[in-house]
């Protein structure tokens, strides 16, 4: 299992067999062991046992690539469509992905009224209200403005809400926590456009409205939009996919997904929020006291172990790499602690570069599993010092009538057969 490593290197740093994260940077720690081969066939020799793809010229060039047919099971999980039609979600299969970028075709979806088929030549973005000069932009004109790119997660405020259930639900991690994805978004800083329209002195809010049939709209504080919002036109290098807002969407870094209005067509500058259905009846949380939390915009720090996770299987006592994702709407992830003994002891995971604000951070932790039952947990701390809470603490603070902003520590139980289940521990 380990070459060049001393016995001391392999001494667990916490209960349940967690190893020092720095081991991942040393050579010698062999995780899943490869099978050794005895044959030695030269490169230009034809071996009758060669697979068919090695015996003739391969397939043609393609104008737009698609994943291997062997990966056809890596798909978004479509959540039961609610009434009215077009109101629903599809989840990102987080357990099947690596690194920090979500492929555009697997970015989660949340539509309130379906995906509009917008002709970019006819689409307009209007900025009006408390401005010196109302403006109307075509997509063509927006493409000529100075742009910026940022790697940012978008997370629905309702992500992980099954965590409020009395009993832990058993689903793959993506079908539970997959209303979060991370892309490189490129577009025009909103401050440039607002500045061009000239904001009146008394302005403090902006109503952002989409061009879907339901004209989804939300009220946003002007200060945040001036600070770091953008009108995005590109996602992971190509124009935004229809599902994610083509031809353009608002991106509000670190805030709940509903604020990143897709198919953006109007920014109405005002001095008061509009208090529409989507910010009062919904996206507002009732507390145990009977009072409600409103405008809970920021997404608090959160983390998940994506491997091993429910639906996957461990193959006996061996050394494994625990892998996961962490993110915070308040800035960068400062550290992720991992426990293999249900939270009795913790060790710090390795954070893979880059570690960017309001972006997925990939963490890794070497683990010598002894084949006995274990409970895995991860706990994120962000650069503001905010620590992801245990479930008990979150439920105590927010009660059980909540629906949004569930960010408690997640626990996976590993049994002797290597089966993994979701537990409250
Ligand atoms: N116009 C419009 N914008 C919208 C929505 C919508 O239904 N219509 N859904 C919102 C919600 S609730 C979320 S979580 C995000 C989801 O973005 P995505 O579908 O690109 O993942 O878009 C937001 N913007
Ligand atoms: Mo959402």
């Amino acid at each position: 299992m380990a070459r060049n490593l001393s016995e001391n290197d392999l001494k667990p740093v916490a209960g349940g067999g967690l190893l020092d994260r720095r081991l991942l940077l040393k050579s010698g720690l062999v995780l899943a062991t490869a099978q050794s081969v005895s044959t030695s066939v030269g490169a230009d020799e034809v071996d009758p046992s060669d697979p068919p793809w090695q015996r003739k010229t391969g397939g043609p060039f393609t104008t737009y690539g698609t994943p291997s047919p062997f990966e056809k099971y890596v798909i978004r999980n479509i959540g039961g469509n609610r009434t009215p039609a077009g109101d629903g979600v599809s989840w990102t299969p987080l357990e099947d992905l690596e690194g920090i970028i979500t492929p555009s075709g697997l970015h989660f979806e949340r539509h309130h009224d379906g995906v509009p088929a917008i002709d970019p030549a006819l689409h307009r973005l209007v900025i009006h209200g408390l401005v010196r000069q109302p403006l109307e932009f075509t997509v063509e004109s927006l493409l000529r403005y100075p742009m910026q790119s940022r790697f940012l997660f978008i997370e629905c405020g309702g992500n992980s809400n099954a965590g409020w259930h009395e009993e832990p639900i058993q689903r793959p991690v993506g079908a539970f926590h997959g209303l979060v994805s991370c892309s490189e978004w490129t577009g025009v800083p909103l401050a440039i456009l607002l500045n061009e329209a000239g904001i009146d002195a008394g302005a403090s809010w902006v109503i952002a409205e989409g061009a879907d049939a339901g004209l989804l709209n939300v009220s946003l504080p002007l200060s945040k939009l001036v600070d770091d919002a953008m009108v995005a036109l590109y996602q992971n290098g190509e124009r935004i996919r229809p599902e994610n807002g083509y031809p353009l969407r608002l991106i509000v870094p670190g805030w709940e997904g509903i604020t990143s209005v897709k198919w953006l067509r109007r920014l109405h500058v005002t001095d008061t929020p509009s208090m529409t259905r989507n910010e009062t009846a919904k996206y507002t949380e009732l507390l145990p006291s009977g009072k409600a939390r409103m405008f809970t915009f920021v997404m608090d720090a959160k983390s998940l172990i994506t491997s091993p996770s429910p639906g996957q299987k461990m193959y006996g006592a061996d050394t494994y790499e625990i892998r996961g994702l962490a993110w915070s709407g308040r800035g960068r992830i400062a550290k992720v602690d991992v426990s293999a003994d249900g939270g009795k002891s913790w060790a710090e995971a390795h954070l893979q570069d880059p570690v960017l604000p309001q972006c997925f951070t990939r963490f890794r932790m070497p683990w010598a599993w002894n084949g006995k039952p274990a409970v895995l947990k991860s706990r994120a701390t962000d650069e503001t010092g905010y620590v992801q809470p245990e479930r008990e603490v979150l439920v105590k603070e927010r009660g059980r009538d909540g629906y949004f902003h569930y960010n408690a520590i997640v626990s996976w139980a590993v049994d002797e057969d290597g089966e993994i289940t979701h537990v409250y521990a």
Side-chain angles (χ1 to χ4, degrees), residues 100 150-155 182 224 227-228 252-256 297-303 325-336 351 354-362 380-387:
I100 60 171
R150 285 195 61 190
F151 295 88
L152 298 166
F153 75 80
I154 296 179
E155 182 177 21
C182 187
K224 171 69 175 176
D227 183 32
D228 66 355
V252 183
W255 284 21
E256 54 185 4
F297 291 128
V298 182
M299 297 310 291
D300 287 322
K302 191 159 165 179
S303 68
L325 291 169
W327 63 96
S328 167
R330 296 180 201 275
R332 286 183 179 76
I333 289 297
K335 66 168 179 160
V336 176
L351 301 187
V355 178
L356 300 168
Q358 289 124 358
C359 179
F360 275 177
T361 295
R362 177 62 66 175
T381 302
D382 71 19
E383 62 182 343
T384 69
Y386 176 92
V387 182

Side-chain angles (χ1 to χ4, degrees), residues 108 110 112 155-158 256-258 283:
F108 85 94
R110 171 73 182 103
H112 290 73
E155 182 177 21
C156 181
E256 54 185 4
I258 187 128
Y283 298 94

Side-chain angles (χ1 to χ4, degrees), residues 261-279:
V261 175
K262 301 188 280 190
W263 315 296
L264 185 67
R265 61 161 225 149
R266 201 151 72 96
L267 292 168
H268 184 195
V269 183
T270 68
D271 54 5
T272 168
S274 71
M275 309 304 273
T276 55
R277 186 168 115 86
N278 270 323
E279 53 206 37

Side-chain angles (χ1 to χ4, degrees), residues 15 25 44 58 93 167 229 242 250 269 275 292 310 392 395 399 414:
L25 307 174
D44 46 6
E167 293 299 321
L250 191 58
V269 183
M275 309 304 273
E392 229 175 63
V395 169
V414 181

